[in-house]
């Protein structure tokens, strides 16, 4: 757990861009609160001065003044509510955007151990909890402190003895609330974790719907979800019981204060040592005393909850886990050669790759072949910068990949798994590329997607869901290939991404790519013998070593 001081310093920076709005918001809240402090004293003047010795005109003037105060309060509250919501949502957005950017910049290994649902829950729920502390909670706390001071001053002005008696209940109320705080925090931590797991469960099951349907486990998943919900409901009920008990004990103590004031103050009224107006005004101020006191103390509970969320979000700001490969979104430079020099890769004590030496030259097509676990995917991960070699160097144009600023602009990875976004087919193809040397119609032709697009309701402007909707696996793969063609890379990396295409279609697409990109390096991970005919070189891997290096006929 990160220290609270460090966490506050880390997240308080999000307030600075909106400091002017926060000051205006603070002023509006003070103005609104000042109106509430005036009202009881006005009532005291009406009862003690206007009714005994004033006239109806005086009463009307004071009532008109009260109406004016109420109108100003309403206007200030309205403006402050809108401003508070706007600033709060902007702060939430800023935190979420930076956290999201940091997550995207993580090394690919981070995502292997992370749960999508938990990440989404943290970005949405925990970020909102943090915002409530660094923005809303801070302003409300300062406002409540000022109101509390104002009320105390008015209480002592009206009757200092009654004021001292009333203050006896505040330490007791604070003690009760603080006593419940550890239980509230502990229960909230458990609930956050459970809701995160629930979110992850839902994402995971929807993502694997084909498995669920094929194994006929819908009833099982419904039962599992029901169990998760029952546990969550139980924790929420426990949390509500703790909060309600806390509030009930505090309310009991608060209700005793007016009773004591009415008893002692009523006696003074009968003894003619206190006026009725003073007693009524005192009780009204007393009622205004406990509300800000409770909010200030409860702010500590809210802060404790936010610390839990801050710790969860702060985990994603760990700079050490960032992808270290530098990027330049505009710079392009042809890749003439890629070399793997004495590359070894270990995972713990397991050897993934051992002393690998491979060359990929401009204008050539290469096949990476081998059984499962032979090291093909590890080589792809190294090429894409997803993994760092334990030993050896990966050289791009005679430059180490870590020092290369344009490499990520020059390769495209096309994988077997679904790589679609919930967007139009056209934007799926043009994703990540601002300018293309091709028209969309030409790209569709090169990827053999013309007939597919013609059957879509809105052509290339048809929305394609994340799962691909009505597209077949082969059509999804062709969309990913079209996206790569649109980028015009120096290196095409096909990680079994033509597995759902028949051999003839695969050959035609690869030949199209070679024709329009004669200088590009094409690397294909494949087991199909038909694909081997497309290669200039075939590298066969076995248990992390290059077993065969075959020079094939050029295509």
């Amino acid at each position: 757990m990160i220290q609270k001081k460090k966490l506050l310093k880390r997240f308080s920076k999000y307030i600075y861009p909106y400091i002017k709005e926060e000051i205006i918001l603070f002023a509006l809240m003070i103005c609104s609160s000042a109106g509430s402090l005036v009202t009881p004293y006005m009532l005291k003047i009406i009862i003690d001065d206007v009714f005994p010795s004033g006239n109806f005109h005086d009463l009307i003037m004071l009532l008109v003044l009260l109406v004016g105060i109420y109108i100003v309060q309403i206007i200030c509250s309205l403006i402050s509510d809108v401003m508070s919501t706007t600033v709060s949502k902007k702060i939430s957005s800023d935190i979420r955007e930076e956290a999201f950017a940091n997550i995207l910049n993580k090394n690919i290994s981070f995502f292997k151990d992370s749960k999508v649902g938990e990440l989404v829950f943290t970005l949405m729920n925990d970020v909102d909890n943090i915002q409530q502390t660094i923005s809303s909670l801070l302003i409300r706390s300062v406002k409540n402190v000022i109101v509390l001071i104002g009320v105390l001053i008015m209480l002592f002005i009206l009757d200092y003895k009654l004021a001292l008696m009333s203050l006896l209940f505040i330490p007791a109320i604070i003690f009760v609330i603080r006593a419940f705080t550890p239980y509230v925090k502990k229960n909230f931590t458990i609930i956050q974790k459970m809701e995160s797991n629930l979110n992850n469960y839902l994402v995971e099951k929807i993502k694997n719907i084909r498995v669920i349907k094929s194994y006929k486990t819908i009833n099982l998943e419904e039962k599992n979800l029901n169990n998760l919900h029952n546990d969550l409901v139980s924790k929420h009920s426990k949390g509500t019981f703790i909060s309600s008990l806390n509030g009930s004990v505090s309310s009991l103590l608060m209700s005793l204060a007016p009773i004591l004031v009415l008893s002692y103050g009523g006696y003074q009224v009968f003894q003619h040592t206190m006026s009725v107006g003073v007693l009524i005004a005192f009780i009204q101020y007393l009622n205004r005393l406990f509300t800000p006191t409770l909010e200030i103390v409860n702010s500590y509970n809210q802060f404790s909850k936010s610390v839990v969320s801050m710790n969860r979000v702060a985990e994603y700001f760990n700079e050490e886990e960032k992808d270290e490969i530098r990027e330049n979104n505009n710079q392009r430079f042809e890749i003439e050669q890629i070399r793997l020099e004495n590359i070894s890769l270990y995972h713990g004590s397991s050897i993934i790759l051992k002393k690998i030496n491979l060359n990929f030259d401009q204008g050539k097509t290469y096949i990476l072949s081998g059984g499962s676990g032979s090291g093909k995917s590890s080589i792809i991960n190294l090429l894409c910068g997803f993994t760092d070699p334990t030993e050896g160097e990966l050289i791009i144009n005679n430059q180490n990949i870590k020092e290369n600023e344009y490499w990520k602009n020059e390769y495209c990875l096309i994988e077997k798994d679904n790589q679609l976004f919930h967007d139009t087919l056209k934007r799926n193809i043009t994703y990540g590329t601002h300018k293309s040397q091709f028209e969309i119609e030409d790209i569709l032709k090169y990827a053999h997607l013309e007939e597919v697009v013609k059957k879509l309701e809105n052509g290339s402007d048809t929305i394609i869901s994340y799962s691909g909707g009505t597209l077949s696996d082969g059509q999804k793969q062709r969309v990913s290939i079209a996206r790569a063609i649109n980028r015009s890379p120096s290196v095409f990396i096909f990680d079994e991404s033509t597995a759902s295409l028949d051999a003839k279609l695969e050959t035609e697409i690869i030949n199209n790519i070679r024709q329009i990109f004669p200088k590009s390096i094409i690397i294909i991970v494949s087991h199909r013998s038909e694909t081997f005919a497309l290669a200039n070189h075939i590298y066969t891997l076995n248990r992390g070593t290059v077993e065969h290096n075959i020079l094939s006929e050029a295509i």
Side-chain angles (χ1 to χ4, degrees):
M1 297 286 282
I2 304 174
Q3 293 180 349
K4 290 182 181 180
K5 185 177 180 180
K6 191 174 181 180
L7 283 172
L8 282 175
K9 184 179 179 181
R10 175 69 184 80
F11 288 100
S12 61
K13 70 173 187 177
Y14 296 100
I15 295 181
Y16 301 149
Y18 309 101
I19 195 68
K20 291 181 180 179
E21 290 88 341
E22 296 281 4
I23 292 172
I24 295 172
L25 187 59
F26 175 72
L28 289 170
M29 287 184 172
I30 295 302
C31 182
S32 177
S33 301
S36 65
L37 292 176
V38 173
T39 306
Y41 201 81
M42 295 281 287
L43 187 60
K44 180 251 181 199
I45 293 173
I46 291 173
I47 294 173
D48 288 346
D49 299 329
V50 175
F51 284 156
S53 57
N55 53 52
F56 185 69
H57 179 266
D58 296 332
L59 177 62
I60 294 299
M61 290 298 293
L62 286 173
L63 293 178
V64 169
L65 180 59
L66 275 177
V67 171
I69 292 172
Y70 292 150
I71 292 174
V72 172
Q73 277 186 279
I74 292 171
I75 293 174
C76 289
S77 296
L78 180 63
I79 297 174
S80 64
D81 287 346
V82 174
M83 283 191 65
S84 178
T85 300
T86 303
V87 172
S88 297
K89 293 305 175 185
K90 284 182 177 180
I91 290 174
S92 292
S93 299
D94 291 344
I95 300 173
R96 189 173 292 114
E97 287 170 12
E98 186 175 350
F100 182 60
N102 274 268
I103 289 172
L104 294 183
N105 274 303
K106 294 289 187 183
N107 191 286
I108 201 71
S109 60
F110 167 83
F111 297 94
K112 293 180 180 179
D113 302 323
S114 300
K115 299 176 181 178
V116 175
E118 186 172 342
L119 289 176
V120 173
F121 181 84
T122 300
L123 286 172
M124 298 304 295
N125 190 281
D126 286 314
V127 166
D128 283 338
N129 285 334
I130 295 170
Q131 170 270 310
Q132 289 178 17
T133 293
I134 65 175
S135 176
S136 308
L137 191 63
L138 176 63
I139 292 177
R140 288 202 311 270
S141 296
V142 175
K143 169 200 163 187
N144 285 326
V145 168
I146 293 176
V147 170
L148 184 61
I149 293 172
V151 170
L152 286 173
I153 291 173
M154 295 307 299
L155 286 176
F156 276 94
I157 289 174
L158 290 172
D159 192 297
Y160 75 93
K161 291 182 180 178
L162 271 181
L164 289 173
M165 291 174 61
S166 302
L167 291 179
L168 294 175
F169 289 90
I170 292 181
I173 294 172
I174 293 174
F175 175 79
V176 169
I177 294 175
R178 289 293 297 272
F180 280 93
T181 297
Y183 302 101
V184 172
K185 182 178 179 180
K186 181 180 179 180
N187 198 68
F188 178 77
T189 303
I190 295 172
I191 287 175
Q192 287 294 92
K193 184 64 177 176
M194 292 177 70
E195 288 186 342
S196 177
N197 290 337
L198 174 61
N199 205 53
N200 188 68
Y201 174 86
L202 296 173
V203 171
E204 182 183 88
K205 301 312 171 186
I206 293 173
K207 185 178 179 181
N208 292 300
I209 186 62
R210 293 169 68 90
V211 177
I212 293 172
K213 284 186 173 293
S214 63
Y215 279 79
K216 299 180 180 178
T217 55
I218 293 176
N219 291 335
L220 173 64
E221 297 301 343
E222 288 179 349
K223 184 178 179 181
N224 290 338
L225 181 60
N226 181 258
N227 291 335
L228 288 173
H229 276 147
N230 287 339
D231 292 340
L232 186 58
V233 168
S234 175
K235 285 297 177 185
H236 272 295
S237 298
K238 181 180 178 180
T240 302
F241 173 77
I242 294 172
S243 298
S244 181
L245 182 61
N246 186 10
S248 298
V249 175
S250 300
S251 297
L252 175 62
L253 293 173
M254 284 189 291
S255 63
L256 292 177
I259 292 175
L260 179 63
V261 169
L262 280 172
S263 300
Y264 181 75
Y267 174 78
Q268 287 186 314
V269 169
F270 286 118
Q271 295 297 316
H272 304 291
T273 57
M274 178 184 288
S275 68
V276 174
V278 169
L279 180 59
I280 293 176
F282 193 95
I283 292 174
Q284 288 208 347
Y285 278 121
L286 188 62
N287 291 332
R288 286 166 170 77
L289 173 69
F290 293 116
T291 299
T293 303
L294 278 176
E295 288 191 7
I296 290 170
V297 179
N298 282 328
S299 293
Y300 181 79
N301 288 339
Q302 180 62 48
F303 173 71
S304 298
K305 293 179 180 179
S306 294
V307 169
V308 175
S309 294
M310 285 180 185
N311 272 293
R312 287 167 58 88
V313 175
E315 293 177 6
Y316 303 127
F317 289 100
N318 186 348
E319 301 294 329
E320 295 176 359
E321 294 181 7
K322 274 191 176 183
D323 190 342
E324 295 179 358
I325 298 178
R326 292 181 290 174
E327 297 182 50
N328 187 308
N329 291 328
N330 300 313
Q331 189 174 357
R332 300 294 299 266
F333 198 88
E334 283 188 359
I335 304 300
E336 297 176 357
Q337 188 183 60
I338 305 170
R339 299 197 313 272
L340 278 71
E341 297 184 348
N342 295 316
I343 292 286
S344 293
L345 182 64
Y346 299 91
H347 182 72
S349 59
S350 301
I351 301 174
I352 310 300
L353 296 173
K354 185 176 181 180
K355 299 294 181 180
I356 291 288
N357 288 280
L358 296 176
N359 285 349
F360 301 98
D361 295 320
Q362 190 177 52
K364 301 294 180 66
T365 301
Y366 298 84
I367 298 289
L368 292 180
S369 181
S372 177
S374 60
K376 304 184 303 298
S377 295
S378 296
I379 290 176
I380 299 302
N381 288 335
L382 286 168
L383 289 172
C384 296
F386 298 156
T387 304
D388 295 329
T390 308
E391 297 173 359
E393 280 191 297
L394 202 164
I395 306 298
I396 310 292
N397 286 359
N398 296 317
Q399 188 179 33
N400 188 288
I401 189 173
K402 290 291 184 183
E403 300 170 356
N404 194 294
E405 297 183 6
Y406 51 82
W407 167 238
K408 280 201 170 182
N409 297 321
E410 292 300 336
Y411 80 82
C412 277
L413 172 64
I414 309 104
E415 297 186 287
K416 180 180 179 180
D417 296 332
N418 179 27
Q419 291 182 302
L420 300 183
F421 298 98
H422 188 92
D423 207 335
T424 64
L425 179 66
K426 183 176 181 179
R427 282 197 285 267
N428 263 281
I429 292 173
T430 59
Y431 177 80
T433 304
H434 300 295
K435 291 182 180 180
S436 176
Q437 60 177 308
F438 304 107
E439 297 294 332
I440 188 69
E441 292 77 13
D442 294 329
I443 295 172
L444 294 175
K445 181 178 67 174
Y446 297 143
H448 285 260
L449 282 169
E450 309 113 303
E451 295 303 317
V452 176
V453 173
K454 287 178 182 178
K455 294 177 182 178
L456 297 176
E457 183 179 358
N458 297 312
S460 61
D461 291 320
T462 302
I463 295 291
I464 304 298
S465 67
Y466 163 76
S467 62
T470 58
L471 298 181
S472 68
D473 289 340
Q475 290 167 347
K476 296 174 193 175
Q477 289 183 349
R478 275 179 274 168
V479 173
S480 298
I481 293 170
R483 181 189 297 144
I485 292 172
N486 181 70
R487 190 172 179 82
S488 302
S490 294
V491 181
F492 287 84
I493 303 174
F494 294 88
D495 190 1
E496 298 191 65
S497 53
T498 56
S500 296
L501 306 179
D502 61 64
K504 180 182 177 183
L505 187 56
E506 177 190 38
T507 300
E508 290 177 356
I509 291 176
I510 297 298
N511 283 334
N512 284 342
I513 291 174
R514 173 54 69 212
Q515 185 177 358
I516 58 180
F517 301 106
K519 292 185 177 181
S520 290
I521 299 171
I522 300 176
I523 302 172
I524 306 172
V525 176
S526 179
H527 303 284
R528 264 200 318 218
S529 58
E530 294 92 342
T531 310
F532 292 0
L534 301 171
N536 298 104
H537 285 82
I538 301 171
Y539 295 128
T540 303
L541 289 94
N542 182 33
R543 296 183 180 179
T545 61
V546 179
E547 190 174 56
H548 298 293
N549 181 346
I550 302 173
L551 178 63
S552 181
E553 293 184 5
I555 58 174

